[in-house]
Amino acid sequence: MKRILVTGALGQIGSELVMKLRDIYGTHNVIATDIRRNESEIVQSGPFETLDVTDAKRMFDIAKKYQVDTIVHLAALLSATAEIKPLLAWNLNMGGLINALEVAREQKCKFFTPSSIGAFGPSTPKDNTPQDTIQRPTTMYGVNKVSGELLCDYYYNKFGVDTRGLRFPGLISYMTPPGGGTTDYAVEIYYEAIQNGSYTSYIAKGTYMDMMYMPDALNAIITLMEADPVKLKHRNAFNVTAMSVEPEDFANEIRKHIPNFEMNYNVDPVRQSIAESWPNSIDPTAAVEEWDFKVEYDLTKMTQDMLHKLREKFFVAGVR
Ligand code: NAD
């Protein structure tokens, strides 16, 4: 990777990935794009262009202007929002992806886009879900993610585009709030713990899902993209995870730091049913074997860091 175009760069992943890529590959070699513009460091610190990923011509123009050799395609509608606006989700998630793949094909770029644990469904084995298994999701987001995995493999097999992907679990981070996913509760709980000492979860007690801390997710993207292609038996997309957790696990871990933390439940039927259609835990063995996937943060270490960073954000910065 030498010159990288990132779509959806102001979102939860992009806002941290762009800064890390700029550190490694050079500020001017990472071109951040998003449908919106804000005052963030991403926009201020290096190249930034507004780009609606459904506008194929503008995407081509930007890729040519900056002579990019890698595309990291992040712009998408996430699971919970996609279930409320399924047609918009199809048009954005599939339309944006095919445009980005076409640019990669024509400009001979390497290509990364995330899949998700949402690419699995109720008929998938729930525990230690294998890399290669049944994928019959029942959500629009899941339909988009499975179609996306197939499309990326198609572009690799048919046109030789170097496509690579990860099936991300819920990602937990403190910089940019999550954008409408089913696992957002796992971020909100830390914010509420710091600000109010209590949290009301929309996901029911005992609902296990995979999660990962953002620094591990960023490392996974970069390690996969730099991996020797000869070793890759799979491409789109690898199971990756750091922990399989349910709401009470977070509450118990938070109580080690905030003993009076109170947990309540008011289950949202839409997000709960999405969560129940997903695996309890996925098996990342293929990622470990093929490109040495590893994580640094478990629940304990992540909780310490999240609470520390959020305290800095809210109290030191004088927000509250
Ligand atoms: P996000 O919702 O935080 O950010 C998405 C960004 O895309 C936003 O900045 C938004 O402004 C932008 N966007 C929306 N419509 C656009 C358009 N038409 N053109 C250009 N940009 C547009 O999402 P995220 O959490 O950063 O997720 C990025 C990718 O990772 C998505 O494909 C998502 O499915 C996947 N993923 C995320 C998670 C997670 O927990 N965050 C888990 C699994 C997979």
Side-chain angles (χ1 to χ4, degrees):
M1 294 196 283
K2 290 199 173 68
R3 197 161 262 223
I4 308 159
L5 174 72
V6 182
T7 72
L10 298 181
Q12 189 193 4
I13 300 176
S15 58
E16 296 198 41
L17 181 64
V18 165
M19 297 316 292
K20 185 163 175 117
L21 291 174
R22 283 182 177 162
D23 275 352
I24 299 172
Y25 299 96
T27 299
H28 291 286
N29 293 324
V30 182
I31 296 85
T33 70
D34 202 289
I35 196 169
R36 61 199 165 97
R37 177 183 279 273
N38 61 18
E39 298 303 311
S40 67
E41 211 184 350
I42 309 291
V43 179
Q44 313 284 344
S45 73
F48 180 87
E49 300 272 354
T50 50
L51 168 67
D52 176 346
V53 291
T54 61
D55 182 347
K57 182 174 178 308
R58 181 148 169 79
M59 205 190 295
F60 268 104
D61 289 347
I62 294 171
K64 280 188 198 139
K65 175 178 166 188
Y66 291 95
Q67 290 292 303
V68 299
D69 72 349
T70 304
I71 297 176
V72 174
H73 177 59
L74 301 176
L77 212 61
L78 269 61
S79 57
T81 319
E83 228 26 46
I84 296 164
K85 299 175 183 168
L87 194 61
L88 175 66
W90 177 268
N91 289 335
L92 168 54
N93 294 353
M94 301 315 298
L97 177 60
I98 195 98
N99 287 343
L101 283 166
E102 273 298 290
V103 174
R105 179 174 73 81
E106 289 233 341
Q107 297 294 114
K108 306 207 178 331
C109 296
K110 284 175 92 157
F111 189 87
F112 174 85
T113 198
S115 185
S116 158
I117 52 171
F120 298 117
S123 52
T124 303
K126 279 228 168 285
D127 296 305
N128 212 22
T129 304
Q131 173 68 36
D132 301 305
T133 186
I134 301 163
Q135 289 183 272
R136 303 289 292 177
T138 47
T139 61
M140 176 51 92
Y141 183 71
V143 170
N144 296 164
K145 288 302 186 192
V146 175
S147 310
E149 290 186 7
L150 293 171
L151 200 57
C152 289
D153 273 347
Y154 180 82
Y155 267 69
Y156 171 67
N157 290 317
K158 178 90 175 172
F159 304 119
V161 179
D162 186 351
T163 57
R164 307 180 187 194
L166 298 170
R167 288 181 190 135
F168 274 138
L171 299 181
I172 296 167
S173 66
Y174 55 85
M175 278 190 194
T176 306
T182 302
T183 54
D184 291 6
Y185 90 87
V187 177
E188 291 168 10
I189 193 170
Y190 289 108
Y191 277 76
E192 295 286 319
I194 290 283
Q195 292 182 291
N196 305 318
S198 66
Y199 179 64
T200 301
S201 173
Y202 59 79
I203 293 293
K205 195 187 270 200
T207 311
Y208 281 89
M209 285 184 276
D210 284 286
M211 306 277 173
M212 192 189 280
Y213 199 32
M214 189 61 83
D216 284 329
L218 303 184
N219 281 337
I221 295 173
I222 293 164
T223 310
L224 172 62
M225 290 308 283
E226 293 292 2
D228 179 354
V230 175
K231 294 193 178 143
L232 301 182
K233 296 193 194 89
H234 298 86
R235 279 182 170 267
N236 302 287
F238 287 92
N239 285 5
V240 285
T241 180
M243 62 197 93
S244 162
V245 275
E246 61 115 341
E248 287 295 305
D249 293 329
F250 287 103
N252 290 332
E253 201 60 41
I254 288 170
R255 281 191 196 105
K256 291 183 188 166
H257 305 266
I258 306 171
N260 296 329
F261 175 72
E262 200 182 296
M263 184 77 165
N264 300 299
Y265 291 88
N266 182 13
V267 174
D268 168 19
V270 174
R271 287 177 286 185
Q272 181 63 27
S273 84
I274 297 175
E276 281 172 16
S277 77
W278 290 357
N280 297 330
S281 63
I282 63 173
D283 175 11
T285 302
V288 173
E289 287 177 355
E290 293 176 39
W291 50 275
D292 201 22
F293 164 68
K294 37 172 113 61
V295 292
E296 200 188 321
Y297 290 88
D298 59 10
L299 179 61
T300 301
K301 198 169 169 194
M302 177 180 75
T303 300
Q304 273 166 7
D305 200 59
M306 271 298 277
L307 293 175
H308 175 69
K309 294 288 176 15
L310 285 175
R311 276 197 180 105
E312 273 182 358
K313 186 168 174 166
F314 288 110
F315 297 110
V316 178
V319 174
R320 222 187 133 207

